[in-house]
Amino acid sequence: MTTAVGHVPSVVLGVCSFTHDSAAALLIDGELVGFVEEERLSQQKHTREYPRQAIGWLLEEAGITPGDVDAVAYNFQPVRYLAETPAALRMALSGTTRSRAVQRAAGFAKVAVRTRRRLRRLAQDFPHARVTPVLHHRAHQLAAFTASGWEEAAVLVVDSLGERQTTTIAHAHHSARPRLSMLEALTDPASLGYVYGAVTEHLGWRRGDEEGTVMALAALGDPARFRHVFTRAVRTTATGFAVDSAYFPPRVLTSGYPRTSPRFVVGTCPARHPDEPVQEVHQDLAAALQERTEQIMIHLARRARLVSGSRRLCVGGGVATNCVSIGRIIDAGIFDEVFVPPAPGDAGTAIGAAVAVHTDSGSQRPLSGIARTCYLGPSFPEPELDLTPWPGLKQKPLGADAAEFLADQLAHGMIVGLFQGRVEAGPRALGNRSILASPLEAGVVERLNATVKFREPFRPFAPMVTAVRAREFFTLGQDAPYMSMASQVTDAARERIPAIVHANGTARLQTVTAPQNPFMHQVLGAFARLTGVPVLINTSLNVKGKPICGTPEMALDCLANSGLDALLLEGRWITK
């Protein structure tokens, strides 16, 4: 676990593993070789397993072996968990938290020990590397800021838990040689991610996976019904917010402890079983949760503006995937521009942790390959396609006019999977692993949900649009390259493409430029010439419960086992 004195590590492997969303990133002399989430290769969504395939691909891509790795950066610091023990025991002094005080203290101590064990495991796999644990929120901060490419910005990170921290505000400078100043921090149990996950579970969906479903459901409900509950349960303070343990009992890092209290249930509704139908009360509960989340996020953004003095904001952490909240921050005009990286959740901390070690090493090499990039994973430019395992599929090669051909098929109502180039970073489909459809087709949303994605009928679908024509249909007023911001829509959008407008009058758009994704820009241009509309529906190439397809085999399975009409896989048109 040590390197020679004075040695500056040039090969740094960043790892997110053993919790959820395992991923790996590799920096060589400050240049990002690549980044990929293990689920895109293993087919296990949100996997916590050691990212063996991701690391294997990175080493192969760089032409190196485990023995060539100088430093391994891990995205948690074990010692930080131990600081919670005395704080947890103090909870025994309160009647509302007494029953969990000892278990909470024991749970945090156990995770500290477990994290140390994980560091030793990494040291065994990389015998010549120094293994460095990185503060979780610092990894989030660096991942968000370096991806922005900005020279200066406030950085707001909001998640469920990183060691003890749940919300941090920092001021950052020089994204190629990042320097961070931590300004403020909130610790658990003041956790917005914890509250959102608790209510997601209460409503019958998987915590840590289906919060987006609850965000979509919120658009159908009336927040007034349970507004008073969340106003009391999540109170704003001068420097952030506090969570009332009478509604959301303190977290215990072992299973079997409910995250909502009897008081919460009495004030709202009984827990919904996943097989039960969604009722009006569930819609209203989701709406109240979402409303309070947006209010807290705007409050935190104002605080970040005040304490940093910056006119730009980077947002990271799991709550940054709540695109409606990000849109509300933009609409509030607090900052001139807001940025969310393509992988704002824990997977992206693999990049941030590697950046931290590179920066702390004293290396004079500036960072490269991180700013404004999202296509960072494996590619399969000329796959050998043996369709024998999928006897119903047939293929034909397309020529140079593939973009025109695809646009024409979409204009005629086909729903098509697209597999091209490198795998995207993060949870959104950004045009390389996408399902595309025309927003002009009648019933397209219902068909996508029912026969292609196999998910709830109220789930909306995101539009992608050429950046130069985005203002004709969307009011956001800034680029949204990573589909991380919900925008209000114009009258033209309501009239011409209502399929992309959600019940709350917003759409989670992606703006596309030619340098960003040349092929998708061509497709959008061709579709616009055919239909007059430079907008397509874009959703991820997967079905519910499965990760985005990272390999050709996964994409072919998706075509064969869903209502997709066709798949364009690296220039080959594959149909059933």
Side-chain angles (χ1 to χ4, degrees), residues 66-91:
D68 297 317
V69 175
D70 296 303
V72 176
Y74 185 59
N75 62 334
F76 288 98
Q77 287 186 338
V79 70
R80 300 278 182 156
Y81 288 100
L82 292 175
E84 179 58 32
T85 300
L89 291 175
R90 282 196 295 273
M91 289 183 175

Side-chain angles (χ1 to χ4, degrees), residues 385 387-398 405-406 409-410 414-417 447 555-569 571-576:
L385 291 186
L387 298 183
T388 304
W390 304 275
L393 303 184
K394 48 188 180 290
Q395 63 174 310
K396 69 173 182 179
L398 299 180
F405 177 85
L406 176 56
Q409 299 303 306
L410 294 168
M414 291 193 78
I415 295 177
V416 181
R447 184 182 165 201
L556 291 166
D557 276 339
C558 187
L559 171 63
N561 298 303
S562 76
L564 278 176
D565 295 316
L567 172 69
L568 178 54
L569 193 159
R572 304 177 197 195
W573 186 248
I574 304 172
T575 54
K576 299 176 183 179

Side-chain angles (χ1 to χ4, degrees), residues 9-209:
S10 60
V11 181
V12 183
L13 177 69
V15 177
C16 169
S17 183
F18 312 120
T19 53
H20 58 86
D21 295 315
S22 287
L26 185 66
L27 287 177
I28 297 183
D29 290 330
E31 180 181 359
L32 184 64
V33 172
F35 160 83
V36 68
E37 291 145 275
E38 183 73 3
E39 67 169 28
R40 308 292 159 87
L41 305 175
S42 71
Q43 303 189 45
Q44 301 299 314
K45 192 173 184 182
H46 298 305
T47 182
R48 57 181 292 144
E49 297 300 317
Y50 177 70
R52 186 173 308 281
Q53 294 185 65
I55 291 171
W57 170 72
L58 286 167
L59 298 182
E60 182 179 358
E61 188 79 357
I64 62 175
T65 69
D68 297 317
V69 175
D70 296 303
V72 176
Y74 185 59
N75 62 334
F76 288 98
Q77 287 186 338
V79 70
R80 300 278 182 156
Y81 288 100
L82 292 175
E84 179 58 32
T85 300
L89 291 175
R90 282 196 295 273
M91 289 183 175
L93 301 176
S94 168
T96 57
T97 57
R98 183 177 299 131
S99 64
R100 295 195 177 193
V102 173
Q103 293 90 337
R104 178 178 168 92
F108 274 81
K110 186 183 296 183
V111 172
V113 172
R114 193 180 301 151
T115 305
R116 286 186 185 277
R117 193 180 305 132
R118 291 164 179 167
L119 295 175
R120 289 196 293 270
R121 153 75 190 276
L122 291 170
Q124 292 171 359
D125 286 353
F126 300 93
H128 301 139
R130 171 176 293 167
V131 180
T132 302
V134 176
L135 185 67
H136 189 69
H137 269 233
R138 184 170 180 235
H140 270 308
Q141 291 162 352
L142 286 167
F145 179 61
T146 57
S148 74
W150 289 339
E151 278 302 292
E152 176 272 335
V155 185
L156 172 64
V157 173
V158 187
D159 66 1
S160 180
L161 183 70
E163 295 100 8
R164 300 179 69 219
Q165 293 177 332
T166 64
T167 306
T168 53
I169 297 172
H171 196 193
H173 294 82
H174 316 303
S175 61
R177 289 185 171 88
R179 179 167 50 86
L180 280 173
S181 300
M182 179 77 82
L183 301 178
E184 292 185 344
L186 298 179
T187 57
D188 199 61
S191 172
L192 198 56
Y194 180 82
V195 168
Y196 212 104
V199 180
T200 295
E201 195 169 60
H202 188 79
L203 285 171
W205 285 285
R206 290 187 302 275
R207 172 171 49 86
D209 181 26

Side-chain angles (χ1 to χ4, degrees), residues 283-337:
Q283 298 173 2
D284 293 345
L285 181 57
L289 168 70
Q290 179 63 30
E291 178 186 72
R292 194 56 175 161
T293 299
E294 294 164 21
Q295 292 169 350
I296 298 296
M297 288 295 285
I298 290 172
H299 179 62
L300 293 170
R302 293 190 191 280
R303 184 68 186 172
R305 172 78 177 94
L306 177 67
V307 298
S308 71
S310 179
R311 295 297 307 173
R312 284 175 160 171
L313 177 68
C314 299
V315 191
V319 182
T321 60
N322 191 295
C323 62
V324 179
S325 291
I326 301 300
R328 295 281 189 257
I329 292 173
I330 294 169
D331 290 343
I334 305 164
F335 293 90
D336 294 339
E337 193 170 0

Side-chain angles (χ1 to χ4, degrees), residues 192-275:
L192 198 56
Y194 180 82
V195 168
Y196 212 104
V199 180
T200 295
E201 195 169 60
H202 188 79
L203 285 171
W205 285 285
R206 290 187 302 275
R207 172 171 49 86
D209 181 26
E210 297 184 292
E211 282 82 354
T213 302
V214 174
M215 182 177 65
L217 180 66
L220 306 181
D222 179 5
R225 183 173 181 178
F226 299 120
R227 182 177 290 142
H228 66 285
V229 173
F230 286 96
T231 301
R232 295 170 186 164
V234 188
R235 305 184 313 277
T236 56
T237 66
T239 58
F241 66 96
V243 173
D244 190 337
S245 58
Y247 292 91
F248 298 98
R251 177 194 326 253
V252 176
L253 295 180
T254 52
S255 59
Y257 289 86
R259 295 191 169 210
T260 54
S261 70
R263 182 171 179 178
F264 178 84
V265 175
V266 169
T268 58
C269 65
R272 171 184 165 267
H273 189 274
D275 294 332

